[in-house]
Amino acid sequence: MARIAIPAGEGGDAVQLWTLRPEMGSAINRLVDAAYNKSILPVRVREAARMRIAQLNECPVCLTFRAASVKEQGVEEDFYAHVADHATSPQYSEQERLAIAYAERFAVDHLAIDDAFFVELRSAFTDPEILDLTI
């Protein structure tokens, strides 16, 4: 349940939230468009990281949001159900596991994003991909 009053309307909470601050909403919409439509990362990699952040933040809007473009690319509900168990779940690629681990460290222990972890990241991602993942 959202802690602020989000107006009802088309697109649900994730869209209607920004009607409270349309001046910021337009900038957020451009960022979201870039993240979803101009990313150089595979959709599953982005979604894995996004979902881990949503879980750690316990954001009800983010936890339930599923972009149509992501669904169209074949990401199904089972994918989201195991993100927290990424280390032991066989359904994630090495890039997806690292993206989840990066998101987790970013959210709860940024100092653990050290040189050794960057060596791991660079084993699966280029620097432009790491920047894309960070955004």
Side-chain angles (χ1 to χ4, degrees):
M1 174 177 177
R3 292 194 171 113
I4 60 174
I6 300 173
E10 193 172 315
D13 288 353
V15 171
Q16 291 303 309
L17 171 69
W18 296 106
T19 64
L20 296 172
R21 294 288 296 137
E23 306 84 357
M24 293 177 180
S26 61
I28 294 297
N29 284 335
R30 288 192 307 276
L31 178 62
V32 169
D33 176 61
Y36 278 90
N37 299 312
K38 295 172 181 66
S39 175
I40 58 175
L41 295 170
V43 67
R44 285 177 53 103
V45 170
R46 288 191 336 263
E47 278 298 283
R50 185 190 73 77
M51 184 50 58
R52 190 62 186 133
I53 293 290
Q55 290 171 343
L56 293 167
N57 290 334
E58 298 180 23
C59 174
V61 172
C62 301
L63 285 166
T64 59
F65 179 74
R66 306 291 185 265
S69 61
V70 171
K71 290 183 200 177
E72 290 166 5
Q73 293 186 46
V75 178
E76 298 179 4
E77 279 306 306
D78 190 54
F79 172 83
Y80 297 99
H82 304 285
V83 168
D85 307 323
H86 68 278
T88 58
S89 177
Q91 80 178 71
Y92 300 105
S93 71
E94 184 62 17
Q95 269 195 332
E96 292 161 0
R97 280 188 227 300
L98 281 169
I100 295 166
Y102 183 51
E104 209 166 78
R105 289 175 188 219
F106 196 92
V108 299
D109 187 11
H110 68 278
L111 296 178
I113 304 172
D114 56 12
D115 291 341
F117 188 68
F118 258 86
V119 168
E120 284 185 69
L121 283 175
R122 285 195 177 109
S123 73
F125 296 100
T126 65
D127 284 350
E129 289 171 328
I130 293 169
L131 178 59
D132 196 312
L133 182 60
T134 303
I135 293 166

